[in-house]
Amino acid sequence: MLPTDLVQYKKKSQKIIALTAWDSISGSIAENADVDLVLVGDSLAMVCLGYKSTLPLTLENIIHHTNAVSRGFKKKFEEQPLLVADMPFLTYQCGEDKAVEFAGKIIQNTYAKAVKVEGAEPEIQKVISRLVRMGIPVMGHLGLTPQSYLNLGLKKQGKSLESQEKIRREASILEKLGCFSIVLEHIPEPLAKELQSSLTIPTIGIGAGNYCDGQVRVTADLLGLNDDQPPFCQPIIQGKKLLKDKLKEWVTSQRLN
Ligand code: KIV
């Protein structure tokens, strides 16, 4: 599947389901669940590497983990989910040349067919435009953008009319610049609903209600593997507790034998 195929999903009103992955096991689990898209999100900084935020993640980290994820895929190449990699902090904030070089390295050294970048400030718009023109598909990301948490916090965005208007304007710009889809994170459902109908590219929501063209979740949140759960993701199992309890039981049973 190519990134542009996602636009066909929207035309056919076919829901896009995406999960994050960070290593070969999570990649294999996500592929097995028959998702359309696997995102090697920079949330792997917290989920897998133990950092407190996404900011310490490097280009080398994302390349390393994207390759681990694709090694976990077992389906024939053509049937595998679309693989998208996040561009880490500082790989696209320092000008178009550097962004093309770093996104190019991700595309050249992994099986990712697209990159995701956060925000739509004027500098980021130039970067997106250049990446798209250089043949690198870009997924946008608006609303809560964790790489800007020092300025914006990790709270819901689009609460004020001014902030809603900014998100509206930026979404329309991202579409015009050639993004093939936009992740909408933690924004009010009515705003996400409005964007879903006004944009021709798919909106993929996380904490943005039920009306987006698709949904993405951080797999570790869904499986209850993290200590800190975001308010918009109910775990489907208490994975961490289950694994801890079961391993403790096993260790205890071994001591008794
Ligand atoms: O890094 C990530 O996991 C993400 C999702 C929240 C969409 O960007």
Side-chain angles (χ1 to χ4, degrees), residues 20 39 41-44 54 86 116 118 141 183 185 206 216 218:
T20 67
L39 172 69
D42 58 2
S43 56
L44 79 81
T54 58
D86 253 339
K116 175 164 79 58
E118 293 181 7
H141 184 158
V183 167
E185 180 165 357
I206 172 163
V216 59
V218 175

Side-chain angles (χ1 to χ4, degrees), residues 16 38 82 92 95 124 134 163 182 208 210:
I16 299 159
V38 168
L82 174 66
Y92 62 99
I124 305 298
M134 293 305 113
S163 159
I182 305 179
N210 285 325

Side-chain angles (χ1 to χ4, degrees), residues 229-243:
Q229 199 69 23
F232 47 79
C233 184
Q234 284 305 312
I236 50 178
I237 53 165
Q238 296 298 334
K240 190 161 189 173
K241 184 175 181 329
L242 187 74
L243 296 175

Side-chain angles (χ1 to χ4, degrees), residues 71-121:
R71 283 194 291 272
F73 289 167
K74 298 288 174 267
K75 293 183 180 172
K76 280 192 280 172
F77 189 67
E78 316 77 69
E79 289 162 20
Q80 290 175 8
L82 174 66
L83 188 60
V84 179
D86 253 339
M87 288 198 69
F89 182 58
L90 291 190
T91 61
Y92 62 99
Q93 287 90 346
C94 304
E96 294 108 278
D97 289 349
K98 281 194 178 167
V100 172
E101 183 186 340
F102 295 147
K105 284 205 169 130
I106 294 175
I107 299 294
Q108 200 169 44
N109 294 297
T110 74
Y111 287 107
K113 295 200 187 87
V115 295
K116 175 164 79 58
V117 306
E118 293 181 7
E121 295 306 322

